[in-house]
Amino acid sequence: MSQTPSPDRPTTRRHSWAEPYKIKMVEPLQVTSRAERESALAGAGWNTFLLRSRDVYIDLLTDSGTNAMSQEQWAALMLGDEAYAGSESFYRLERTIQEVYGYPFVVPTHQGRGAEHIISQVLISPGDVVPGNMYFTTTRLHQELAGAAFVDVIVDEAHDPASEHPFKGDVDLDKLQRVIDEHGAERIPYVSIAVTVNMAGGQPMSLANIVAVRELCDRNGVPLYCDITRIAENAWFIREREPGCAQLSVAEIVRRICDLTDGAWMSAKKDALVNIGGFLAVRDEGVFDEARNLCVVYEGLHTYGGLAGRDMEAIAQGIRESIAQAHLDARIGQVHYLGQQLVREGVPVVRPLGGHAVFLDAAGILAHLPQDQFPAQRLAGELYLEAGVRTMERGIVSAGRDPRTGEHRRPRLELVRITIPRRVYTQAHMDVTADAVLAVWDRRASVGGLDMTFEPKYLRFFQARFAPR
Ligand code: F0G
C-alpha cells in the first residue's frame, strides 16, 4: 500500500480493479443516429437534464440514484415493513446508521435535499453565515432559503483544476477563522463540510484537516455538520493517500470522520447504492426533536420520512456494502480507468482524479469561448451529439445568480462532469466514452458558444434552455 500523495490509480490492487460481482440481469441500451441526437438535443434546449433517457446511450449524467442494487438489496426489498407508523424497516435503518456512522438520532428523508431542508430550517436564523468547503447546489440553496449566506472556505487549490494537491476538499483554517472573527461565532450556526467535495471534482478531505476543523470549531463554540453523501469514497482516498492511515479500514475511517462531527445529512442515492432515499443523523436531542417535528410537515411521519419501508431496507443493506474495500477499489478504479485515458491524450481534466466522476476542464478545452457563452454547457451537448453520452454542466450555469446582486456567479471552475453510476457500466462503456471525449477534443476549435433562452428562478441548471449562437 503506497502512501504517496495523489496517485491517479488505486494502488491497493497491483494488477486490476476488476469488479467483485458478476451480472445477473441486463437492461438493453439503444444506440441512436447523429440525426436523432441532433433533434433530441434541440428539443431539450441543449440541456442534458431535459433529454429523455430513451434518447441516451450511456448515461453519465449523475451517480445519484442510478446505482445497480445487489441481490441482497433486492431480497431486502421483500422484507419492507410498510406500516405507516413504527415500521420495523425504520428501526433496521436506524440501527445500521448508529452502527456504521455512530450518530444516535436518525430522521429519514425522501432524499438528500429533504435532510438539507430540515437541518437548515432547524439551525439557521435569518442573517446567519454558513462557512463550508465549496458550495453544493442544493445544500447552499437550502441554507440561503433559511436566511443564511454561504461563504466558501475551501483551500485555494480546489479552484485550480491543475493542482495536484491530494486533499483538495480541505478547509483553509485561516479562511474559516477569518469568517468567524468577521461575523462573530453567534452568527455562525454551524460549519458545513462535505466529504467528498462534489463541485471541486469529487475531491476528498483529509482526516487531519477534519480534526483541525473540529478543534477550531470547539475553540469558537461552533457546531460542525457534515454532508456524508460520498463518505465511503472519501475514506478510500484517506486510506490510500494520508500518511498513517493505510492500516485503517474504510469502515474505521468512516467512523472517525463521523465521530468528529455533531451531525450529518446524506443523500443515500450515491454511496449507499440505492435509487432513492436520504437521512439526517444528529447527536443533539434538541436538534433531533425539532428535526423530526419538521419531518412530519415536509417529508412524512418520522419513521418513514417520505420513503417506503422497502426503500429503508435497501438503504440499510447498501450502507453496509458501501464500505467494502473491494467494492470501492472497483468503483474508483473504474472512474480512474476512464480518467487516465483522457490524461494520456492531454485532455485537460481536474487533477487528481476524484471519486465519483471525471471532470473535464471546459474552460481549458474550449478556451476560445468566454464564460458567458456557457462553454461547459456546450461541451456536454457536444459529447451527447458525438456518441449519445450524457454528462452534466458544472460551471457558470450550475453556480446560478447571487441572490443579492442578481448577477451570474462566476466560478473559477467551468467543468463538465462525466459521472459514473456504481456497478452499472462496463470497461467497454468507459472506452466508448473516452473515444467520444477525444473526438470532441480533436474538433474543439470549431465548437461555438450558447445563448441562454430560458432561465428558471431556482437551481437553473436543471431546467434552463439554450440555443447555439
Ligand atoms: N449533497 C451532495 C454532495 C450531493 O452530491 C447531492 C446530490 C446532494 C447533497 C443532494 O442530494 O439529490 O438526494 O437531494 N447530488 C446529485 C448529483 C444531484 O448529481 O451530484 P439529493
Side-chain angles (χ1 to χ4, degrees):
M1 166 83 54
S2 155
Q3 290 185 5
T4 43
S6 122
D8 276 348
R9 53 184 278 280
T11 51
T12 44
R13 295 287 177 278
R14 282 178 67 92
H15 303 295
S16 171
W17 47 269
E19 295 83 353
Y21 53 83
K22 57 184 176 173
I23 297 166
K24 188 178 326 224
M25 189 192 286
V26 296
E27 181 179 342
L29 295 176
Q30 214 73 36
V31 184
T32 51
S33 68
R34 169 98 193 186
E36 286 167 335
R37 292 195 292 276
E38 279 171 4
S39 142
L41 191 63
W46 279 73
N47 186 342
T48 51
F49 279 101
L50 300 179
L51 289 167
R52 293 180 66 148
S53 74
R54 68 172 188 202
D55 296 324
V56 173
Y57 173 35
I58 301 177
D59 202 348
L60 307 179
L61 183 72
T62 176
D63 63 331
S64 181
T66 52
N67 306 300
M69 293 206 297
S70 66
Q71 59 182 3
E72 285 76 15
Q73 286 178 292
W74 282 104
L77 293 185
M78 300 304 291
L79 303 176
D81 174 359
E82 306 304 344
Y84 186 92
S87 161
E88 269 309 296
S89 303
F90 167 72
Y91 293 107
R92 268 195 282 277
L93 174 62
E94 182 188 51
R95 198 165 56 245
T96 303
I97 292 167
Q98 288 166 344
E99 284 173 17
V100 174
Y101 305 119
Y103 303 107
F105 302 119
V106 176
V107 181
T109 58
H110 75 285
Q111 58 182 77
R113 71 198 70 177
E116 291 171 339
H117 174 214
I118 291 174
I119 195 65
S120 302
Q121 293 295 330
V122 170
L123 297 179
I124 292 171
S125 305
D128 281 352
V129 171
V130 176
N133 54 347
M134 198 174 271
Y135 84 99
F136 184 70
T137 52
T138 57
T139 318
R140 179 177 67 189
L141 180 59
H142 281 296
Q143 291 162 347
E144 288 175 351
L145 290 172
F150 176 84
V151 183
D152 184 12
V153 294
I154 204 167
V155 292
D156 285 341
E157 287 87 343
H159 296 280
D160 173 6
S163 162
E164 294 280 356
H165 190 299
F167 291 105
K168 285 165 99 171
D170 279 356
V171 166
D172 181 324
L173 300 168
D174 293 334
K175 284 187 196 169
L176 176 56
Q177 188 61 59
R178 274 201 300 277
V179 172
I180 297 175
D181 291 345
E182 186 185 335
H183 299 278
E186 63 288 349
R187 286 268 64 136
I188 317 282
Y190 59 102
V191 172
S192 175
I193 56 171
V195 289
T196 56
V197 181
N198 193 348
M199 303 300 278
Q203 302 292 332
M205 281 185 90
S206 64
L207 201 50
N209 186 251
I210 303 171
V211 169
V213 171
R214 173 82 249 178
E215 286 168 2
L216 192 152
C217 285
D218 285 345
R219 279 200 302 280
N220 292 275
V222 175
L224 177 61
Y225 280 78
C226 188
D227 180 335
I228 59 167
T229 294
R230 297 184 182 84
I231 189 172
E233 291 170 9
N234 198 114
W236 185 94
F237 282 113
I238 287 174
R239 185 168 183 273
E240 197 70 24
R241 296 179 183 170
E242 190 162 348
C245 293
Q247 306 313 318
L248 298 171
S249 69
V250 165
E252 286 166 332
I253 297 170
V254 163
R255 188 54 188 270
R256 282 198 192 189
I257 295 171
C258 294
D259 285 350
L260 289 162
T261 67
D262 294 292
W265 61 91
M266 181 182 218
S267 167
K269 301 170 72 173
K270 285 80 167 177
D271 256 13
L273 294 161
V274 290
N275 304 120
I276 195 70
F279 61 83
L280 180 64
V282 300
R283 297 188 196 287
D284 183 293
E285 201 163 357
V287 171
F288 172 58
D289 281 341
E290 268 192 70
R292 70 173 165 172
N293 196 201
L294 285 182
C295 181
V296 301
V297 180
Y298 293 110
E299 300 285 314
L301 193 74
H302 55 277
T303 55
Y304 74 85
L307 296 169
R310 56 181 169 271
D311 296 329
M312 293 190 281
E313 295 285 352
I315 298 169
Q317 175 61 28
I319 285 173
R320 295 198 188 276
E321 293 176 18
S322 75
I323 50 179
Q325 182 73 36
H327 157 66
L328 289 165
D329 287 345
R331 190 280 184 284
I332 299 177
Q334 187 181 42
V335 172
H336 289 200
Y337 171 80
L338 170 64
Q340 283 154 27
Q341 297 199 41
L342 306 180
V343 169
R344 269 200 300 276
E345 298 295 330
V347 180
V349 301
V350 173
R351 305 301 308 265
L353 296 167
H356 65 302
V358 176
F359 287 72
L360 300 176
D361 176 9
I365 295 171
L366 301 180
H368 56 288
L369 295 182
Q371 200 171 22
D372 290 66
Q373 293 185 23
F374 312 111
Q377 189 76 32
R378 179 69 191 237
L379 184 56
E382 295 294 333
L383 288 174
Y384 173 71
L385 289 179
E386 190 64 42
V389 173
R390 170 152 71 171
T391 58
M392 168 192 307
E393 193 263 9
R394 293 273 85 155
I396 188 169
V397 182
S398 294
R401 292 183 185 272
D402 186 318
R404 285 157 305 163
T405 65
E407 295 295 316
H408 286 307
R409 286 165 159 144
R410 293 174 185 282
R412 273 177 62 198
L413 296 177
E414 178 73 18
L415 308 175
V416 168
R417 189 181 73 175
I418 309 177
T419 336
I420 315 300
R422 295 167 189 77
R423 310 192 293 204
V424 171
Y425 290 108
T426 66
Q427 196 160 348
H429 290 121
M430 297 300 106
D431 293 342
V432 171
T433 302
D435 286 349
V437 175
L438 295 175
V440 176
W441 168 245
D442 286 344
R443 61 177 174 77
R444 62 192 179 277
S446 64
V447 172
L450 293 173
D451 288 320
M452 201 189 302
T453 56
F454 169 68
E455 180 176 356
K457 187 163 165 207
Y458 300 114
L459 302 175
R460 64 182 181 180
F461 56 95
F462 283 130
Q463 291 157 332
R465 300 182 72 84
F466 304 83
R469 290 170 69 94

